[in-house]
Amino acid sequence: MLQIKNLSKFYGNRLVLQDLTLHIRPGEVYGLLGPNGAGKTTTINILCNLLSPDSGEITINNQPISKATKKLLGVATQENLLYKSLSCEENLNFFARIYGLSGQERREQVRATLKAVKLADRAKCPVETLSGGMQRRLNIAAALVHYPKLLILDEPTTGLDIEARYEIWELIKRLKNQGMTILLTTHLLEEAERLCQRIGILKNGKIIAEGSLEQLRKRIPAQDIIIVQTPEEDDAIARASKYGFTYRRYGNDIAFWLPKHLELKEIIACFDGIPIDSISRQAVRLEHIYVEVTK
């Protein structure tokens, strides 16, 4: 659906994208992750034909990127681009006209899109009367009203409470099940874990790791990760090294990578004689992978 080859972009003398290459398959949710300044927004602006790359090739649905490919894209930005005094229906009618829909086709598509985001019963309600989660769903609806081939969701759950976040996640799952191709940018690693079939981690303008979550887990040679709380951290780290446990620190937590699965009593025995307040076991998660490849 989307093919990016050797994309580069300079801002003055600063290289923002360097030979960026990625491929998004039809019908998948692809997560593009990376720290601020990694190049995510620049990539999206180039896809939308708002910026020109200095080199590289982009095709969307086998068409080279151009003004004509704008209609193949739907973009839901981080901030809601809605007219709050207008109703949900009026907002979608406005965006549908921008995309060239008219007459009966526009009216039918507006109704279908409101139904898809579960706002059909709010069609006549002004946007300002909606909850934050509803407004975010309507913002996504504005990107869907022309039924694009590729939907770009830029930080779709930023600032939402957990219930509203779950609503957006369910919407994304439904769209995926309907065959929509989605490019998702997010700083919420749990969001990427739950929703994305493949993930690309962007740093300094290039992909430094890519694959399914299972493929990315192979970047960390550990069967389990244990978090240890102890007043004698140095002793715990020294003891763990004797057993071949790799030491990492995640925030204030001391963590050890276990090269093989051990029963809890075996893990406790490894720290015999060291005062331990707690030991918890975790599977290798995206946050561990992300920290490892971007550090």
Side-chain angles (χ1 to χ4, degrees), residues 23-165:
H23 171 62
I24 300 179
R25 302 161 184 159
E28 79 170 337
V29 180
Y30 183 99
L32 186 62
L33 312 182
N36 291 330
K40 301 187 297 296
T41 299
T42 298
T43 302
I44 291 173
N45 286 338
I46 291 173
L47 291 177
C48 296
N49 211 35
L50 298 175
L51 285 176
S52 298
D54 292 303
S55 62
E57 300 177 1
I58 305 175
T59 58
I60 301 173
N61 201 32
N62 297 318
Q63 298 182 44
I65 193 168
S66 67
K67 290 184 178 180
T69 59
K70 282 187 176 182
K71 291 185 177 181
L72 301 178
L73 293 176
V75 183
T77 58
Q78 293 181 37
E79 296 187 7
N80 296 334
L81 301 180
L82 302 170
Y83 297 93
K84 293 193 174 183
S85 62
L86 300 182
S87 70
C88 298
E89 188 176 64
E90 288 168 334
N91 268 277
L92 292 195
N93 267 298
F94 172 78
F95 287 106
R97 286 191 179 98
I98 289 177
Y99 286 114
L101 277 65
S102 61
Q104 185 65 22
E105 180 189 19
R106 185 186 72 244
R107 290 189 291 272
E108 290 178 356
Q109 194 61 27
V110 167
R111 284 196 296 270
T113 307
L114 285 171
K115 183 178 180 181
V117 299
K118 295 190 175 181
L119 289 174
D121 60 334
R122 302 290 184 125
K124 304 296 184 182
C125 296
V127 169
E128 61 194 2
T129 67
L130 304 181
S131 68
M134 289 179 180
Q135 290 188 31
R136 195 60 59 88
R137 290 189 344 243
L138 185 64
N139 193 55
I140 294 174
L144 285 171
V145 70
H146 60 303
Y147 203 77
K149 295 292 185 181
L150 174 64
L151 175 63
I152 299 174
L153 300 178
D154 189 11
E155 304 282 351
T157 62
T158 297
L160 296 183
D161 61 37
I162 189 64
E163 291 183 356
R165 187 177 301 159

Side-chain angles (χ1 to χ4, degrees), residues 5-8 15 17-21 55 205-207:
K5 294 182 179 179
N6 305 119
L7 192 67
S8 294
L15 182 60
L17 297 177
Q18 47 180 319
D19 289 327
L20 176 65
T21 297
S55 62
K206 61 182 179 181
I207 297 290

Side-chain angles (χ1 to χ4, degrees), residues 98-255:
I98 289 177
Y99 286 114
L101 277 65
S102 61
Q104 185 65 22
E105 180 189 19
R106 185 186 72 244
R107 290 189 291 272
E108 290 178 356
Q109 194 61 27
V110 167
R111 284 196 296 270
T113 307
L114 285 171
K115 183 178 180 181
V117 299
K118 295 190 175 181
L119 289 174
D121 60 334
R122 302 290 184 125
K124 304 296 184 182
C125 296
V127 169
E128 61 194 2
T129 67
L130 304 181
S131 68
M134 289 179 180
Q135 290 188 31
R136 195 60 59 88
R137 290 189 344 243
L138 185 64
N139 193 55
I140 294 174
L144 285 171
V145 70
H146 60 303
Y147 203 77
K149 295 292 185 181
L150 174 64
L151 175 63
I152 299 174
L153 300 178
D154 189 11
E155 304 282 351
T157 62
T158 297
L160 296 183
D161 61 37
I162 189 64
E163 291 183 356
R165 187 177 301 159
Y166 285 155
E167 291 176 356
I168 300 298
W169 289 354
E170 287 304 312
L171 171 59
I172 294 171
K173 289 177 183 177
R174 290 199 305 273
L175 293 173
K176 192 267 177 187
N177 290 337
Q178 293 166 8
M180 180 66 68
T181 306
I182 299 172
L183 171 60
L184 171 71
T185 74
T186 181
H187 286 293
L188 298 174
L189 301 184
E190 181 189 3
E191 186 165 273
E193 279 185 324
R194 285 174 177 253
L195 299 175
C196 300
Q197 284 67 62
R198 289 190 303 133
I199 294 165
I201 300 176
L202 190 66
K203 183 179 181 183
N204 297 328
K206 61 182 179 181
I207 297 290
I208 57 173
E210 184 183 52
S212 67
L213 186 56
E214 287 304 314
Q215 290 170 332
L216 290 173
R217 281 194 176 112
K218 295 177 182 178
R219 304 285 294 240
I220 292 184
Q223 293 297 312
D224 292 303
I225 294 177
I226 59 168
I227 307 297
V228 176
Q229 293 185 346
T230 173
E232 298 183 11
E233 294 183 350
D234 291 341
D235 290 343
I237 293 169
R239 180 72 60 82
S241 68
K242 293 181 180 180
Y243 289 98
F245 301 170
T246 301
Y247 161 66
R248 289 291 185 271
R249 185 177 286 275
Y250 301 119
N252 293 324
D253 291 333
I254 296 176

